[in-house]
Amino acid sequence: MRDPRMSAIGKGLKRRGRLMMQAVSPPRRALDAIPGPRPADDGYTAPPAPRLVRSPVFVLSSVRSGSTLLRVLLNSHSRIRAPHEMHLRTVHVHLSRDFTADAMKALALDKDELEHVLWDRVLHLELTRSGKDVIVDKTPPNTLIWPRLRRCWPEARHILLLRHPAAVVASLTDRRADPDHAAIRDEVLRYSEKLEEARVNLNPHVVTYEDLTAEPERVTRGICDYLGVPWEAGMLDYGSKDHGTFRPQLGDWSSTIKSGRIQAARTADPAVGLPPRLTELARAWGYPE
């Protein structure tokens, strides 16, 4: 005689197996949940999400303008974390399915704001790891996207680091094995135009590379006042601190920066002919003719 309890268990297992098969089998009809074609951009703009780092500091500069020197001086402060170039603008979010944007929109997010949240998390993580309370990002290409940085962090602070455009042109020319002189001038002009936009629109704290190397104490005192931290003499002895590896794509890696000493800036070469617009910008920034 069959045990009724075993019979009941057997029926239960069969029912469970049938339900599992239904769960993994393809549907017999189209489901409303499968979306049809949708436009790539429906014009939705997400509101800003709360930031973990409300007021980061961005050094805006051209390439070859001494931003790595400024970074290590700031990073030598007990309260300021200035890591290598982070290149946040190259860190992207990929919405891989047609319905992903709709799912994010339901969370009051879009692709740009998802990237902003990620960028903010990276800064917060680095700041937390350092044990400091002020973070500085000194990636020169940030200059090219300063409006988006301001959109991401409306309360960000900005240090504008200028260098005579002729000196930047000369430095880039020396650095490249087979320099394209026209391309170099175009590159410097592109950075310079964005720097001028930032100077006019952001009310930044402006310093020059020439002044930084000639009077480092005065210039760093001014920056500390702007950031609301006390000046520390140890900032000028950056060679005694650990600033990570100096290597390409993360900042300057020359013997000059590796020396651990602040060295005089090379002055602008009068033989370097500048386009009229670069000459005009140099004049607007207070450089002599």
Side-chain angles (χ1 to χ4, degrees):
M1 184 175 179
R2 296 180 62 185
D3 187 337
R5 291 176 300 174
M6 294 303 295
S7 178
I9 292 172
K11 289 180 180 179
L13 290 174
K14 287 181 180 180
R15 182 172 181 275
R16 182 178 180 185
R18 185 169 62 254
L19 292 174
M20 291 178 65
M21 286 297 295
Q22 291 173 356
V24 300
S25 298
R28 296 181 180 179
R29 59 184 177 83
L31 298 178
D32 293 338
I34 300 176
R38 63 183 300 275
D41 181 7
D42 62 2
Y44 173 70
T45 300
R51 300 289 183 251
L52 296 173
V53 182
R54 293 182 58 185
S55 185
V57 183
F58 294 98
V59 174
L60 303 180
S61 73
S62 170
V63 293
R64 306 305 303 157
S65 291
S67 60
T68 299
L69 174 62
L70 180 55
R71 172 184 89 79
V72 294
L73 294 175
L74 295 176
N75 195 52
S76 298
H77 194 286
S78 63
R79 290 180 53 188
I80 301 173
R81 175 58 176 151
H84 60 71
E85 295 176 9
M86 289 185 277
H87 298 286
L88 294 177
R89 75 184 189 120
T90 66
V91 177
H92 299 293
V93 169
H94 175 53
L95 307 182
S96 63
R97 300 297 296 272
D98 291 340
F99 51 79
T100 310
D102 289 332
M104 293 299 101
K105 182 177 178 180
L107 299 174
L109 293 167
D110 59 13
K111 182 178 183 297
D112 279 0
E113 190 57 21
L114 281 166
E115 290 176 351
H116 293 167
V117 169
L118 178 56
W119 295 355
D120 179 59
R121 183 68 177 91
V122 170
L123 292 191
H124 184 261
L125 180 61
E126 181 63 21
L127 193 57
T128 302
R129 286 169 171 170
S130 73
K132 299 183 179 184
D133 58 277
V134 177
I135 190 160
V136 177
D137 183 5
K138 81 90 195 170
T139 307
N142 280 343
T143 304
L144 305 177
I145 62 161
W146 70 262
R148 184 168 180 191
L149 292 177
R150 182 173 62 173
R151 179 156 54 96
C152 180
W153 287 283
E155 297 180 45
R157 292 166 288 178
H158 304 87
I159 300 170
L160 208 68
L161 175 62
L162 303 176
R163 188 182 186 185
H164 197 297
V168 177
V169 169
S171 181
L172 279 172
T173 302
D174 289 348
R175 177 57 62 98
R176 295 178 180 173
D178 185 21
D180 181 330
H181 298 284
I184 287 173
R185 283 170 170 76
D186 287 345
E187 181 179 356
V188 176
L189 178 58
R190 185 168 71 255
Y191 273 98
S192 298
E193 291 283 17
K194 285 297 183 181
L195 282 169
E196 179 63 5
E197 288 179 12
R199 187 178 75 91
V200 171
N201 289 282
L202 291 177
N203 190 30
H205 182 76
V206 182
V207 300
T208 70
Y209 177 55
E210 293 84 358
D211 286 347
L212 179 64
T213 55
E215 301 178 85
E217 179 175 338
R218 178 183 67 81
V219 172
T220 53
R221 281 184 179 276
I223 293 173
C224 286
D225 286 345
Y226 173 67
L227 299 181
V229 298
W231 181 78
E232 296 176 357
M235 297 174 67
L236 305 185
D237 184 25
Y238 78 84
S240 65
K241 311 292 194 306
D242 180 12
H243 304 289
T245 302
F246 297 108
R247 68 177 184 82
Q249 282 77 56
L250 300 185
D252 187 14
W253 68 96
S254 68
S255 58
T256 301
I257 196 68
K258 291 178 179 178
S259 71
R261 296 180 294 104
I262 301 171
Q263 301 186 35
R266 186 171 67 176
T267 57
D269 184 353
V272 175
L274 292 178
R277 177 56 177 162
L278 275 178
T279 301
E280 180 184 350
L281 289 172
R283 189 182 305 119
W285 297 345
Y287 287 106
E289 299 288 338

